[in-house]
Every structure is written in structure tokens, then in C-alpha cells.
Amino acid sequence: MESLKGKIVFITGVSSGIGKSCAYAFAAKGANVIISARRLEIVEKVAQDIRAKFGVKVFALKLDVRSREEIDKAVFSLSDEWKAIDILINNAGLAKGMNKFYEDDADNWDEMIDTNVKGLLFVTKAILPGMIERKFGHIINIGSIAGHEAYPKGAVYCATKHAVDAITRSLRMDTIDKNILVSTIDAGLVETNFSNIRFGDAEKAKNVYKGLTPLTGDDVADAVVFCASRPAHVNIAEITLLAARQASATISYRE
Ligand code: 8X3
């Protein structure tokens, strides 16, 4: 197992869920983390807590991945201490609405495509050249089971996660001679704020996980840490994690 101690890890979308769990999981392994999300006050709170708990260095960054300008500014103004990013975790993403295609609100599509696809692209585009220059880097994308399957009322969310899968595969090919690893971690039912944001309704959100034990953000972060800490000759191309009672995106056994 490769040590993560002292590595610089850049994580997007750390205000809750999988991103927040990743920030803690990497800090617990001694990594120094650049944590980012749209609301700086939340990121700063997480940063303070991580510093106090693990004694690692933490840089709190306000970042809306939908803004190419904000990304470029943030990455290019990183100090020498933080510039040499070893691992990028492209986590920021969301589902907004769950409706039949012809009844859905196109604003939801903009938000999902801008965050899940364009956000991931532009953050990667800003960070990858430094990795290539340093001849080392690992890009870990947070995909989804929705990137393997399409399901009813999920056309655009599924499309964005299929895009993450395609980008991951192409990027692995494009960087194969640069000592860059590219991986995707694809989870099924993870109970976070995800369904609250998707439905905007706490009751509906709760029903998604009813009758089974869903994954937690920490379960997914475990897989991300595993992926990032293999020996140098190993690349985990993809990990798919499902809840124990989940067979596919649409088939689960509930008691
Ligand atoms: C979240 C998993 O099944 O709700 O990415 O699409 S699912």
C-alpha cells in the first residue's frame, strides 16, 4: 500500500456527503487537503475540524465548479505550498428533479450538466497540466451506477454520469504516457443530502432508502482511499459499490 502521508489532495464538493467523507478519510491517512465547495463558511468549518482532529494542513477554498473563471483563478493562485496537487477527487455533483423527460424543467438540466460534466472537465483541465509537468497524478472521478444504466425519469442525470464514465476512459488513454492514473468510483444508493436535493422533499428523499441499509458517504470514501493508495504499478480503473440489498440502479430488495 502506498502511503498518503503528505500527499496533496484536492477535493470538490466537500460541504456534505461523499466529498466531506473523503476530506476526513484522506486527512486521517495524513494527507494535506485542499477542500472546496460553493459556501466558504461551511468549508472553513470542515477545515477547522479536520485540522483539530488530524493535525494535517487544510486549505479551504470557495469554489463553484460551474464557473470556469473561478476555477482557473483558484487553481492558478495556489501558493507553492499547495500547487503540487497529487490527487484530484472530482466529487462535486448533483441530481436535480426526477421527472419524465417531457415534464422536466430544462433549468435542472443546465445545473446538472454544468456541475457534473462541465465542472469536472474544467477542474481537471486546470489541475492536470501541473500533474503532467510533475510526472505524477491521480484523478479520481465520482461517477455513479447511473453511469452504467439509464432509468426512467433520469435521462439527464444518467447522461451526466455516462459522460463521467466516458471522460474517465478517454482521459486514461490520453494520459497513459504521462504517469497519470485515472479512476472512477461509482456508487448506488448512498444516503446523503443527494435525494433531498434531487426531490426538494424530505419525505420523498427518505423513501429512496426505505427498507434497506444504504451506503454512507464514508463507505464510498473508503473505496476512494483504497483506490488512491495502491502500489505504484496498480491502477484501479473503476469500483462499483452497491448497497448489499441493491442489485442494480432500479432493483433493490426492501424489507
Ligand atoms: C446516485 C445513484 O441510483 O440515484 O448517483 O442514480 S442513483
Side-chain angles (χ1 to χ4, degrees):
M1 181 171 165
E2 285 287 293
S3 172
L4 295 170
K5 206 169 161 47
K7 289 253 163 47
I8 298 179
V9 185
F10 189 111
I11 311 169
T12 63
V14 300
S15 49
S16 63
I18 296 169
K20 189 172 175 183
S21 289
C22 284
Y24 281 83
F26 277 85
K29 296 286 180 194
N32 299 317
V33 289
I34 302 172
I35 57 175
S36 66
R38 277 179 295 181
R39 287 171 53 196
L40 187 60
E41 72 274 14
I42 299 181
V43 187
E44 273 173 343
K45 245 190 174 165
V46 174
Q48 257 177 23
D49 192 44
I50 290 179
R51 280 187 207 108
K53 280 202 169 98
F54 305 109
V56 296
K57 288 189 248 168
V58 186
F59 186 80
L61 190 66
K62 183 213 167 305
L63 185 65
D64 183 342
V65 301
R66 293 172 303 176
S67 165
R68 198 170 171 178
E69 204 188 326
E70 219 178 277
I71 293 166
D72 288 347
K73 224 162 131 192
V75 172
F76 295 123
S77 58
L78 285 172
S79 66
D80 285 348
E81 188 186 10
W82 287 106
K83 251 190 189 121
I85 296 161
D86 297 292
I87 299 165
L88 164 62
I89 301 170
N90 277 314
N91 164 74
L94 81 166
K96 196 80 188 281
M98 198 170 184
N99 303 300
K100 289 196 173 180
F101 182 90
Y102 52 84
E103 289 165 348
D104 207 358
D105 179 345
D107 286 347
N108 294 338
W109 304 350
D110 270 335
E111 195 172 343
M112 288 188 278
I113 292 168
D114 288 349
T115 310
N116 304 4
V117 183
K118 291 168 76 180
L120 178 145
L121 287 172
F122 295 138
V123 172
T124 305
K125 185 156 173 47
I127 290 174
L128 183 59
M131 289 178 163
I132 292 175
E133 210 176 291
R134 293 185 299 276
K135 301 184 173 62
F136 180 81
H138 194 164
I139 295 165
I140 303 176
N141 295 327
I142 304 301
S144 168
I145 186 71
H148 304 202
E149 301 172 45
Y151 50 75
K153 303 182 179 176
V156 176
Y157 180 69
C158 293
T160 66
K161 291 299 178 176
H162 276 70
V164 171
D165 182 56
I167 294 161
T168 304
R169 289 166 191 272
S170 283
L171 191 55
R172 190 158 53 235
M173 296 169 197
D174 289 346
T175 55
I176 196 63
D177 58 342
K178 304 289 183 207
N179 200 34
I180 306 285
L181 301 176
V182 189
S183 313
T184 179
I185 308 297
D186 301 345
L189 289 165
V190 187
E191 191 165 14
T192 59
N193 216 14
F194 178 86
S195 292
N196 279 315
I197 294 169
R198 174 176 247 177
F199 296 110
D201 176 322
E203 202 49 42
K204 272 191 185 165
K206 241 182 147 203
N207 279 336
V208 174
Y209 312 106
K210 213 174 174 172
L212 52 70
T213 306
L215 300 167
T216 63
D218 290 351
D219 293 326
V220 182
D222 265 355
V224 180
V225 164
F226 175 82
C227 172
S229 55
R230 294 308 84 209
H233 67 285
V234 177
N235 184 20
I236 304 289
E238 174 194 310
I239 295 176
T240 305
L241 278 99
L242 299 175
R245 299 280 86 84
Q246 182 179 20
S248 74
T250 52
I251 300 171
S252 296
Y253 177 70
R254 296 172 196 266
E255 287 179 274

